[in-house]
Each structure stands twice: as structure tokens, then as C-alpha cells.
Amino acid sequence: MRKFIVLFILAFWGLVPPGLGHAEEGTTLTAPETQAVTAPLAEEKPPALDTGSTAWMIVATVLVIMMTIPGLALFYGGLVRAKNVLSILMQVFITFCLVSVLWALVGYSLAFTEGPAKLDAVIGGFSKAFLKGLTPDTLNGVIPEYVFLTFQMTFAAITPALIVGSFAERIKFSAVLWFMAGWLILCYVPIAHMVWGGGWLADLGAKDFAGGTVVHVNAGIAGLVGALVLGKRLRYGREAMPPHNLGLTMVGASLLWVGWFGFNVGSELAADGIAGMVLANTQFATAAAVLGWMGVEWIAKGKPSMLGAASGAVAGLVAITPACGFVGPMGAIVIGALAGIVCFWAVVGLKPALGYDDSLDVFGVHGIGGMIGAILTGVFMASELGGVGYPDGVSMGGQVSKQVIATVTAIVWTGILSFVLYKAIDVLLGLRVSEEEEREGLDISSHGEKAYN
């Protein structure tokens, strides 16, 4: 009896497995015998809902919605000319709505279920199309699947919404709708499945915690292709086209920053220690990127600008996204600072040198920033650099090569299919508004209203 009491107390304090206390008095269990007692109990126990993680994931989902509407909409709205403010707000707003519905119909199933044997490496199946089989009691891990699918929907919605900044002020609204619907299915869903849904990049071991390749490289490349296919805005390079309201842009950037904690921290899908580390990494990297962009801009142009600071913040948020759950805070600061510096160069150096008109620098910030973050994830994962360490048998060089493969895959897949989609829509509907409509501004010519009266 005395031994039973001692074992009970030790089990209560976590010093021995609780199952050991159920052994008969006088019996000594070896480690394999202990496993035999406890393993069946663990196997029979069904997954349990974690109310704390569920509550956090609902909040994270709402935060990512805030990133898109109003955050991204206001950020872009302030950057365009006054005659095009409503058009860019409308494009972001309606893209969010359109993708939300398509995600429920087929997007979620194609991204996060097992596909046919020969296609599962790149795309899922239709087993959960129209959300078939989901109930309030269906779990994904320790949270309701309804919460998981809605959280993932916010990623699917903001990614194509990012693209509209590249062809702002010159595209037909009908073309935007058809492009976003097609791009979700052809580009976003396959890359999401490859990386997060059990596809071949997941099997390869490429790491993307919250969307460096899936969201930012994906959107950045689609934006670059769109800017090239549509061509430059009228009189681009011959007359100034400054942002009409940097106050809106600063507010939008701030909402993006706040909402990004839902984006990154929520990707842990739990309220735990890793989530806390992601919280810290996201903040430190973003602040470092602002300082990095401001510093090089100050040196290059003689004055630091609010536009530069806001752009640097977004560059830092983008770059830390794939890395935030794998690197330590010091690595996050380095990644953020480098992103601020390199994205500044991409916007003020690379774009003028190549001569393309990416209206709101989707490629320069999201594309380049996403590539930086995706590849540096493989470097700063190293435990000696403060990261979580590599899987067994994987070196720094090996992990970096996996990150490069994932990045190149996103570039090639999205680059080719986006080009085909743009061209098909151009043939069927036409992509670009007339010169007269562009001069008048898309607010009036496309929507019959103005932002300012």
C-alpha cells in the first residue's frame, strides 16, 4: 500500500507515467512494459478540442481579414492618384469576396485534401468540395475545421488582392474578376497544396511557415507578369505620379502590421511557445526592415520618407513570414534589415533599370522580399544562429537548396500560368481600359463615382 501511495504522488507531479500507478503492488515494470500499458490508452483517446487555441485562431482569422479590408485597401488607396482611389479599393474588396466564395466551393478541398494518386504531388481532390462532410464537431488538430478553413481562406483571399497593385490605374474591372477566379485555381491552390497540403515540396522538406512562397513570391511574380503584359500607364516616366494621400498609406501599413500577427502567429494553429516566438520575430524583423530601408534611403536621397518607412515595414513583414517559426529573434532582425535594404534597391534601382511599370511595387516588395525570406530561412534555421535547427541528416546547404527549389517552383509555375491567363482574358475580354477612360480615371469610367466630392 505504501508503494502505491508513493507511485500515485510521483505520477501526480509528472515524475512517472500515470499508468504506472495502476500496476499491481510488488510488480516492477520495465520501459517496454510501461509503454504497453500506456500506448493503447493514448491511441484510443480521440483528438480533443482546445478552447484556448480555438479562441486564438478565431482572433487570428479576424486579424488577417483586417489586413485585407481595410489594411491592404487603404495602403494601396493612398498610393494611387486621386482619380483611381475607389477603383483600387473596389478591386481589393471584391477580390476578397470572390475568393471567399470560391474557397468554400472548391479551393479548400483542392488545397488541403489528398488528390488522385498521379496528381497529389501538385493538387488535391474534391472530397471536401462544397465543404462536404464538415460539421461543428469536425476537428483539424485541436481546433474546429471550420476555423481552420476560414483562416486558410484569408490567406487565399489576400494573396490575389496583393496582385492588383501591380496593374493599378489601367485594368478593366471585369478582367480583374476573371483573372482572380482563374488565378486562385491555377496558381494559388496548387502552390498551397505543394507546400502545406502534403504535396511534393512538403515531402521535399521545404519550409514555409506562413506564406513566403505560397503568398508573396506567388503574388509578386503574378504582379510582375501582369505589369509586363498590360504595359505602362499613360505618360509613365514622363510625368510625376505621386501617391495622392500618404496618410491613408501609413494607416493601411499600420493595419497590415497589426494584422500580420494573425497571419504569422496564427499559422502555428495553437496558442503555445512557438506562437510566442513567432510574435517576437514578426515584430523585430519588421522594425529592423523599417530602419534598414530608411537608412539606405536617407543615404541615397538625402531625406528619409514616410513612404519609405511604410514600404520598409511591409518588406520586413513579407520577409519574416516564411521564417518566423524557424528562426530566432536575432536571425529575424538580420532578415528584416536585409529585406529593407534589398527591397529598396529593387524599387528604386531594379525597376527603373528594367523599365517595367509595377504601379505599387508588388514585385519589388512582395516578390523580392518573399524570395529573401524563403531562402534565408534555410540559413537562420541553424541552431548555432539561434534557430530551431535542421531535421536529422540535413545541413545548412541542404536546407537552403530545398528553399531555392521551392522558390524557383513558385516562380516558374506562377509565371507561366499567370502569363497564359492574362493572355486568354485579353483575347476574350480585353485587359486594359481605353486611353480616354484611363485619362478620366477608373473611379468615374469604371464605377461612376468618386472618392472625393
Side-chain angles (χ1 to χ4, degrees), residues 252-274:
S254 301
L255 288 169
L256 283 167
W257 192 334
V258 174
W260 222 288
F261 290 107
F263 198 82
N264 283 0
V265 184
S267 293
E268 172 61 3
L269 302 179
D272 59 16
I274 295 295

Side-chain angles (χ1 to χ4, degrees), residues 299-312:
I299 293 170
K301 296 188 173 183
K303 294 179 181 179
S305 70
M306 182 69 250
L307 175 59
S311 301

Side-chain angles (χ1 to χ4, degrees), residues 23 34 38 40 50 61 64 109 113 116 121 125 196 234 244 259 266 301 311 317 319 327 350 368 380:
T34 302
T38 58
D50 185 317
T61 301
V64 185
S109 185
T113 67
W196 293 333
L234 293 176
H244 91 283
K301 296 188 173 183
S311 301
L317 290 164
V327 306
L350 180 64
I368 297 297
F380 289 97

